[in-house]
Amino acid sequence: MDFSIPKEVEELRLKIREFVSSEIIPYEKDYDYTIGRLKHDTAELLRKKVKSAGFWTPHLPKSEGGLGLDLVGTAIIFSELGKSFIAPFVFNCDAPDEGNMHLLHKTATPEQKEKFYYPLIKGEIRSAFAMTEPPPGAGSDPSSLQTNAEKVGDKYVLNGHKWYCTGANGAKFIIVMSKVNNSFRRSTLFLVPTDAIGYKMIREVEIMGSHGQGGHCELKFENVEVPENMILGRVGEGFKWSQERLGPARLTHCMRWLGMARRSMEIAREYAKGREVFGQKLSEHEGIGWMFAESALEIESGQMLTLKAAHTLRAGEDARQIISMAKWQVSETLNKCIDRAIQITGSTGYSRDSILELMYRDARAARLADGPTEVHKMVIYKNLMSGKFDF
Ligand SMILES: Cc1cc2nc3c(=O)[nH]c(=O)nc-3n(C[C@H](O)[C@H](O)[C@H](O)COP(=O)(O)OP(=O)(O)OC[C@H]3O[C@@H](n4cnc5c(N)ncnc54)[C@H](O)[C@@H]3O)c2cc1C
């Protein structure tokens, strides 16, 4: 593996680091705690700034308005964006839109692209991805999928109940995972516009962390008619394409989370260097130093796993094992680093005078969404037992 960062990516990384620090982080104060998201006007203002700075949708090819980075370059840039919890949205590369862009880029027909992909990459609309269902439906175990579409003439009639669908409030369309004619093997992804008759957003579920611009929503689909030409890929390819989406999407989460973990330790370092206790700077107490050392090791290990996974995907090799390792390790590292940063900054870190309080609540979801830690451990050991991957 080549660990060197190409010169142009390094130059871009430094520019984006400076931009995030001077142009984005100062606006974190506009996060509205009552609604759990950045104020709409601020979000729009920052999106304009990002566009005019030429940093919009950094992960996309240049022909589609992006920066033409490969997955390794994207990893490096996303970990700079992750330093501010508001940056991924204002750069138009946050979940779930970023993963949906990847999926649409790969699978959408010209008609589907016209309707959904191009407006999405321009930031004119938002989207959601609906897989998870209330028990007994799909969660950790996708094979419990209950949502079903019946073929009637040249249409499919969709019925289902989904929840925790990020961004669905205000989204223009939703990519819905559903069985077809009650066959799990025929599971399929459907493109459903949110003005479709029979679609209903029931609520934004109240959660411990940020709602983001469109919440994490509970949805109902009651006899929603989806024309055949709004199938993504083909009937029966739902899991194939959702894996195609989830692999890189898990990785881009890791990239953003590494940035967030670094930011938490930077905040802690600044505090520890300034605060004096028991006759010396906090940073000079060995017990505190160990927390920094442990965090540095875990962040570096997470970075290596993430870059290796990006290399593996870029090479077109089977990346499932390394992606599960990266997702598990980085989501846990994120939680440990923010927890330590709060410990180091004392009551301030626990209060809303510090951004760590919000980061701590947001980070907790990382160990659940896109496969809980236990599911990734299961994937890893099953691969080892079956001999698909070695130690
Ligand atoms: C902030 C947030 C955003 C989300 N966004 C989306 C979205 O946009 N679209 C979407 O479809 N879903 C989304 N989700 C849902 C998320 O993907 C699911 O919560 C996740 O897949 C787990 O499913 P579940 O909540 O039903 O947990 P369950 O399936 O009920 O599992 C509960 C717990 O059981 C444990 N467990 C599961 N399997 C095993 C095992 N094999 N061995 C040991 N323990 C195990 C795990 O600890 C797990 O947390 C989001 C969730 C959150 C919190």
Side-chain angles (χ1 to χ4, degrees):
M1 243 172 83
D2 177 6
F3 288 107
S4 59
I5 302 178
K7 191 166 158 278
E8 60 284 5
V9 175
E10 178 59 8
E11 282 169 7
L12 183 65
R13 185 182 76 81
L14 294 175
K15 277 191 208 154
I16 288 190
R17 168 180 280 198
E18 169 54 27
F19 186 85
V20 169
S21 158
S22 61
E23 302 292 333
I24 306 293
I25 288 178
Y27 286 93
E28 287 178 352
K29 65 176 179 11
D30 282 3
Y31 179 87
D32 185 341
Y33 281 88
T34 57
I35 52 172
R37 59 178 64 115
L38 187 63
K39 285 179 185 146
H40 177 77
D41 290 351
T42 306
E44 289 309 306
L45 170 82
L46 293 181
R47 290 188 129 204
K48 277 195 194 123
K49 274 188 182 221
V50 169
K51 274 186 183 166
S52 49
F55 298 142
W56 185 251
T57 51
H59 54 293
L60 291 183
K62 283 190 176 161
S63 58
E64 294 182 353
L67 298 181
L69 300 163
D70 67 10
L71 205 53
V72 175
T74 303
I76 286 153
I77 299 306
F78 273 25
S79 54
E80 289 300 333
L81 298 183
K83 285 206 174 146
S84 172
F85 65 98
I86 60 174
F89 177 71
V90 300
F91 280 70
N92 202 24
C93 59
D94 204 1
D97 287 343
E98 179 257 330
N100 290 344
M101 287 178 206
H102 173 77
L103 185 58
L104 292 171
H105 175 76
K106 286 236 157 185
T107 56
T109 62
E111 185 192 359
Q112 292 168 347
K113 281 193 176 165
E114 212 53 57
K115 209 165 170 186
F116 300 118
Y117 179 63
Y118 297 121
L120 187 64
I121 66 177
K122 285 185 204 146
E124 293 165 0
I125 60 171
R126 288 191 292 99
S127 65
F129 186 85
M131 160 81 99
T132 308
E133 301 167 338
S140 304
D141 178 4
S143 69
S144 318
L145 192 65
Q146 305 285 309
T147 299
N148 184 45
E150 292 287 335
K151 179 110 195 272
V152 181
D154 60 353
K155 291 194 176 81
Y156 287 82
V157 179
L158 186 72
N159 280 285
H161 188 181
K162 301 279 187 184
W163 66 2
Y164 298 101
C165 299
T166 303
N169 190 5
K172 194 79 180 166
F173 72 98
I174 299 173
I175 301 174
V176 183
M177 172 65 107
S178 170
K179 293 189 289 189
V180 167
N181 294 349
N182 265 316
S183 158
F184 178 70
R185 272 194 330 108
R186 289 168 68 77
S187 295
T188 300
L189 293 174
F190 291 94
L191 282 161
V192 179
T194 50
D195 59 4
I197 296 168
Y199 164 76
K200 191 172 174 208
M201 193 205 88
I202 298 172
R203 59 175 178 143
E204 274 194 30
V205 183
E206 287 297 331
I207 54 160
M208 69 189 275
S210 292
H211 281 227
Q213 296 314 107
H216 306 281
C217 306
E218 182 173 352
L219 317 173
K220 269 270 172 81
F221 300 84
E222 284 174 351
N223 295 321
V224 175
E225 292 188 0
V226 189
E228 235 167 352
N229 61 357
M230 286 299 133
I231 284 175
L232 211 45
R234 286 196 299 229
V235 171
E237 290 185 341
F239 280 98
K240 172 183 152 191
W241 290 117
S242 64
Q243 280 312 313
E244 171 67 38
R245 176 187 182 277
L246 273 173
R250 283 178 177 138
L251 217 51
T252 50
H253 270 318
C254 291
M255 299 163 191
R256 291 181 287 254
W257 294 337
L258 285 165
M260 208 190 267
R262 289 197 177 101
R263 170 100 182 272
S264 71
M265 295 320 296
E266 284 166 10
I267 295 172
R269 181 172 56 189
E270 199 180 321
Y271 185 89
K273 282 179 147 185
R275 177 75 163 143
E276 202 154 313
V277 292
F278 300 101
Q280 56 183 354
K281 295 280 188 217
L282 196 52
S283 57
E284 288 158 6
H285 289 266
E286 195 178 43
I288 295 292
W290 284 4
M291 289 198 225
F292 283 104
E294 282 158 12
S295 299
L297 174 69
E298 287 159 8
I299 291 171
E300 196 63 23
S301 313
Q303 171 94 352
M304 290 298 113
L305 284 169
T306 305
L307 284 178
K308 183 169 178 196
H311 272 274
T312 310
L313 271 180
R314 187 176 64 175
E317 291 163 14
D318 189 343
R320 280 171 297 173
Q321 186 82 331
I322 189 76
I323 287 176
S324 278
M325 286 181 177
K327 202 276 170 178
W328 163 22
Q329 199 276 358
V330 178
S331 61
E332 301 281 335
T333 290
L334 173 67
N335 278 267
K336 283 193 253 176
C337 287
I338 300 174
D339 187 67
R340 288 186 195 117
I342 290 178
Q343 199 64 21
I344 293 166
T345 55
S347 304
T348 309
Y350 183 70
S351 76
R352 287 193 182 164
D353 288 355
S354 165
I355 205 68
L356 290 170
E357 181 268 346
L358 176 61
M359 287 165 73
Y360 186 73
R361 288 187 287 116
D362 278 351
R364 190 60 185 83
R367 292 166 55 202
L368 299 168
D370 284 340
T373 295
E374 293 72 19
V375 170
H376 289 290
K377 288 183 184 177
M378 179 186 76
V379 168
I380 292 167
Y381 83 69
K382 283 195 170 171
N383 282 335
L384 291 169
M385 296 308 155
S386 70
K388 202 176 284 169
F389 288 93
D390 219 336
F391 290 100

